[in-house]
Amino acid sequence: MASGSNGKIRSISYARYGYIFILPFFIVYAIFQVYPLLNTFYLSTQSNGSVVTESVGLQNFAAILSGSGGRAFKAVHENFIRVMGNTLILWFGNFIPQIVLSLLLAAWFTDAFLKIKGKGFYKIVMYMPNIITAASVAALFVMLFADSQFGAINKMLMNMHILDAPKNFVTGQTTSRVIIMFIQTWMWFGNTTIMLMSGIMGINPSLFEAANIDGATPTQQFFQITIPLLRPIMLYTMVTSMIGGLQMFDMPYLFNMGTAQNRHTETIAVFIYNHFHNLKPNYGYSGASSVILFIVTAVLGGICFIFNKDDDPKAKERRSSKAALKSKLGGL
Amino acid sequence: MDMAGTKSNSQAIKVRTICVTVVMVFLAIISLLPVYILIVNATRTSQQIVESGVSLIPGLNLFENIKNLNALSEAGTVEYNALRGYLNSAVIAFSTTFLTVLFSCMTAYGLVVYDFRFKNAAYTIILAVMMIPVQVTSVGFYQFMSKLGLTDSYFPLIIPAIAAPSVVFFMRQSMKSTFPLEIVEAARIDGCSEFRTFFTIGIPMMKPAIAVQAIFAFVANWNNYYMPSMILISRNKEQLTLPMMVNTILSNEKLSDYGVRYVSIFLSIIPVVIVYFIFSRFIVEGVALGGVKE
């Protein structure tokens, strides 16, 4: 190792600094991320309802996934299915309007022929909901839509004689879900718009020019050029959004607080949290559902990776950096 | 791009521009409306809110509401103490931001400037773990922390910020494209130690990337509800962060003053809204570039 050119010796002698610089990251990462992950896997095989646990093998997984083996297990299974359903419904209901809206906006923002004044202003205003404390937003909407006649929206609709009696917006199945979908869309459409915009700006402008000369209408251009060429980035947005959707916590959790419990908006993240965040924690159920969530996320992440692989490295790097930003912001 | 349009074409463009502008104005209003309603209700009396529900005309009761909130907080009726909340959230947000940015810079610097055997392996690990959601590890994390007796302490909320894979990823990207390695060589020849080179040359040269990452880290940590509510299990009044205090207001059924309720939410979002409007251009650009300068 010591032999070799002068340059090589130098690069070897500095190598230890490389380790020193990255060491703190990996130490902290090992203690606060890797160990907790392994611990989660361990806890998934442990018993429930007590701080001191004992091994139960794969019983928790059997209970969650099939509900076989007793009444209590069946209840856990049914709850798990319910919260997974809620999670999917809430994700789907915010993703569809979000992607449609964002696609339209992104196409308009990047359209060179449209002379829209104050584009920068619109972008700033539309991104704003994304940075506001999610917990505060949830509290605001719970208060505005509160079930009694003291709820602001109920009162307003009653004053306008649209409603005779207060409606249960926050506890009702459809209304509570629609409110959460609206909040999530409201919070994330600006972000998705900006991401899709940089995707559109990556499309070769001569394609649009040629289409224009050939007399293609803006609608034709949108469906024949923009959408097909954006497909990879849209699929990618969808998958990262799905991973984000699986983590949805603040909004549904706070909809469960306050006046009444709401079973229609409880998500998988809330389910996991409620099981371990107890005086007598159900570490087993919580751990097992975390492991299931982990596998689902890993599969989705793998799909992302495959999409990414076909592209040129530069687009790939750009895109994964955006996804990272999104996930850092607790993205959807 | 040159305009290739004819006269009839330009007429059509004008119509489209008007339509698009109308939609954009509408969406901008939707984006602002909930916050505006919050501000309006925070300035009205409880009586006014109960009577009319939603209004677009602000009242004059903002300071009165804040005073009432403080009085209730002193009397112990509500657990919301704005100043305490600001202080607690600021302690957590500033220290996590500082640790995240400093150590991410260091890690990225180590990965870019030096050549060592496990460099690529280290980078691959960082990429792979970037997407693991916090909810997946939280059971293990919580149980581990409660075994160590660290619940009800800020330690588990702050120290893990040292390892922020996505920030390392950004920093590395931006260093790769903007950082001249020759400058490190030159510093070595001048006898500058490696750490001094990092602090006096590396960090100043990464300033733009640091600024973007610091803003995002600050906002994310200030807004974080999940981690503090998981770790601060005793809900000790002195320790609550702002989002947790908002939560106590929401679940407080004895609090009948609606002006106080809205003003407490208003006070909790004001800091981020101010930060946002100061740095908005910067933030929007940061999202567009993914924090990467190309």
Side-chain angles (χ1 to χ4, degrees):
Chain A
M1 264 249 206
S3 69
S5 70
N6 195 23
K8 202 163 185 189
I9 288 174
R10 246 190 19 207
S11 83
I12 286 167
S13 69
Y14 284 116
R16 69 191 167 97
Y17 285 103
Y19 292 112
I20 294 173
F21 272 94
I22 69 167
L23 198 60
F25 177 97
F26 279 95
I27 291 176
V28 171
Y29 193 78
I31 297 173
F32 292 102
Q33 301 279 318
V34 178
Y35 177 72
L37 182 63
L38 299 176
N39 198 22
T40 301
F41 275 81
Y42 167 75
L43 288 172
S44 72
T45 65
Q46 298 295 301
S47 61
N48 295 292
S50 156
V51 178
V52 184
T53 59
E54 56 189 67
S55 178
V56 295
L58 294 177
Q59 201 187 64
N60 294 319
F61 288 95
I64 286 173
L65 293 174
S66 76
S68 58
R71 240 200 155 123
F73 291 161
K74 201 163 178 233
V76 173
H77 170 67
E78 276 163 6
N79 278 333
F80 181 78
I81 298 298
R82 176 174 58 83
V83 297
M84 277 312 253
N86 287 343
T87 309
L88 281 181
I89 290 169
L90 290 178
W91 171 75
F92 202 73
N94 98 74
F95 182 74
I96 299 299
Q98 185 185 317
I99 197 86
V100 171
L101 205 56
S102 301
L103 261 176
L104 265 181
L105 285 171
W108 287 338
F109 274 127
T110 51
D111 191 329
F113 291 103
L114 291 176
K115 301 266 172 298
I116 303 156
K117 289 197 189 85
K119 274 188 201 172
F121 169 79
Y122 291 124
K123 270 188 263 177
I124 286 170
V125 168
M126 289 176 194
Y127 187 76
M128 185 205 63
N130 196 258
I131 57 101
I132 297 178
T133 321
S136 300
V137 173
L140 171 65
F141 277 84
V142 169
M143 272 159 62
L144 286 177
F145 284 93
D147 288 350
S148 67
Q149 74 269 26
F150 297 115
I153 302 285
N154 264 326
K155 187 70 200 175
M156 188 184 74
L157 293 177
M158 281 160 74
N159 284 351
M160 291 159 77
H161 301 289
I162 296 174
L163 286 182
D164 296 327
K167 205 168 155 52
N168 289 346
F169 288 117
V170 175
T171 47
Q173 173 169 346
T174 314
T175 46
S176 61
R177 283 178 181 164
V178 169
I179 293 169
I180 290 184
M181 288 169 191
F182 172 79
I183 301 174
Q184 296 284 6
T185 309
W186 179 73
M187 284 186 84
W188 286 97
F189 82 97
N191 185 291
T192 310
T193 303
I194 295 170
M195 298 219 335
L196 292 178
M197 264 176 70
S198 33
I200 293 178
M201 288 193 286
I203 297 174
N204 190 346
S206 59
L207 285 175
F208 292 108
E209 273 170 54
N212 226 22
I213 290 165
D214 290 345
T217 66
T219 320
Q220 281 174 326
Q221 289 181 31
F222 180 72
F223 285 105
Q224 312 283 335
I225 302 174
T226 313
I227 298 258
L229 286 172
L230 267 187
R231 251 218 333 254
I233 199 172
M234 274 165 61
L235 283 172
Y236 192 81
T237 311
M238 191 179 97
V239 175
T240 48
S241 154
M242 228 170 157
I243 294 176
L246 288 174
Q247 308 172 44
M248 203 190 300
F249 178 82
D250 294 12
M251 221 57 81
Y253 183 74
L254 286 165
F255 263 67
N256 269 309
M257 302 290 302
T259 46
Q261 296 287 308
N262 185 340
R263 294 162 53 84
H264 315 296
T265 58
E266 190 183 350
T267 56
I268 179 71
V270 176
F271 177 82
I272 291 175
Y273 179 92
N274 283 341
H275 269 299
F276 76 75
H277 212 256
N278 261 328
L279 271 179
K280 285 186 174 167
N282 291 331
Y283 284 131
Y285 295 141
S286 201
S289 25
S290 298
V291 170
I292 294 169
L293 185 60
F294 177 74
I295 293 168
V296 174
T297 313
V299 170
L300 290 173
I303 295 172
C304 267
F305 185 74
I306 293 166
F307 283 142
N308 251 359
K309 230 173 159 183
D310 302 329
D311 291 310
D312 66 303
K314 204 155 186 199
K316 176 180 152 187
E317 291 218 321
R318 251 203 330 246
R319 207 171 315 141
S320 30
S321 66
K322 262 171 235 137
L325 181 75
K326 238 188 150 181
S327 75
K328 194 175 67 175
L329 293 169
L332 275 173
Chain B
M1 215 196 283
D2 279 327
M3 286 281 282
T6 59
K7 255 186 190 164
S8 69
N9 206 346
S10 83
Q11 195 67 31
I13 287 171
K14 232 180 223 165
V15 174
R16 276 191 68 219
T17 304
I18 291 168
C19 294
V20 167
T21 308
V22 168
V23 176
M24 292 221 173
V25 169
F26 174 74
L27 287 172
I29 291 173
I30 294 282
S31 299
L32 292 172
L33 194 62
V35 177
Y36 182 73
I37 289 175
L38 169 64
I39 294 172
V40 167
N41 274 355
T43 59
R44 297 160 84 210
T45 62
S46 189
Q47 183 74 16
Q48 286 169 326
I49 297 168
V50 169
E51 272 167 17
S52 71
V54 179
S55 163
L56 296 177
I57 307 145
L60 300 163
N61 218 41
L62 176 65
F63 294 105
E64 191 67 26
N65 284 337
I66 295 176
K67 234 169 51 194
N68 291 343
L69 172 64
N70 286 340
L72 287 172
S73 148
E74 259 161 50
T77 321
V78 298
E79 281 138 86
Y80 189 107
N81 180 332
L83 285 181
R84 200 24 66 209
Y86 284 140
L87 186 71
N88 291 344
S89 285
V91 165
I92 293 176
F94 277 112
S95 40
T96 47
T97 304
F98 176 76
L99 290 178
T100 295
V101 170
L102 175 66
F103 283 96
S104 301
C105 270
M106 252 179 89
T107 314
Y109 187 86
L111 288 173
V112 171
V113 169
Y114 302 99
D115 270 316
F116 51 96
R117 207 164 140 212
F118 296 109
K119 179 171 154 159
N120 286 329
Y123 184 57
T124 312
I125 291 175
I126 291 176
L127 280 186
V129 298
M130 212 159 61
M131 302 284 262
I132 299 180
V134 60
Q135 277 79 359
V136 163
T137 56
S138 55
V139 196
F141 183 78
Y142 173 79
Q143 194 256 8
F144 180 39
M145 288 303 129
S146 62
K147 243 181 15 194
L148 295 178
L150 286 173
T151 49
D152 286 327
S153 117
Y154 282 177
F155 182 84
L157 302 177
I158 293 175
I159 300 302
I162 290 172
S166 57
V167 184
V168 173
F169 176 80
F170 285 122
M171 292 291 186
R172 183 186 168 275
Q173 293 293 92
S174 106
M175 270 192 86
K176 271 250 157 185
S177 56
T178 59
F179 194 76
L181 290 177
E182 304 80 46
I183 209 166
V184 178
E185 290 289 321
R188 273 176 198 156
I189 291 164
D190 290 344
C192 190
S193 81
E194 295 300 308
F195 287 102
R196 214 176 131 202
T197 311
F198 169 68
F199 281 110
T200 57
I201 300 172
I203 293 227
M205 288 195 77
M206 282 193 264
K207 256 188 202 156
I210 289 176
V212 172
Q213 294 309 315
I215 293 172
F216 281 119
F218 183 85
V219 170
N221 282 300
W222 181 279
N223 287 344
N224 194 348
Y225 174 75
Y226 187 71
M227 290 298 285
S229 91
M230 176 169 103
I231 292 299
L232 306 174
I233 44 171
S234 297
R235 300 288 189 263
N236 181 346
K237 244 161 65 172
E238 301 295 307
Q239 279 189 320
L240 297 181
T241 63
L242 268 181
M244 292 178 76
M245 287 183 179
V246 169
N247 183 8
T248 65
I249 291 285
L250 192 61
S251 51
N252 190 335
E253 278 160 36
K254 278 176 287 178
L255 179 60
S256 55
D257 187 326
Y258 286 87
V260 167
R261 278 178 177 256
Y262 283 103
V263 91
S264 68
I265 300 179
F266 168 78
L267 290 175
S268 78
I269 68 160
I270 281 305
V272 270
V273 171
I274 292 173
V275 166
Y276 179 68
F277 281 109
I278 294 173
F279 297 110
S280 56
R281 231 156 241 289
F282 211 49
I283 291 174
V284 170
E285 259 168 49
V287 179
L289 293 172
V292 186
K293 272 205 147 177
E294 281 181 311

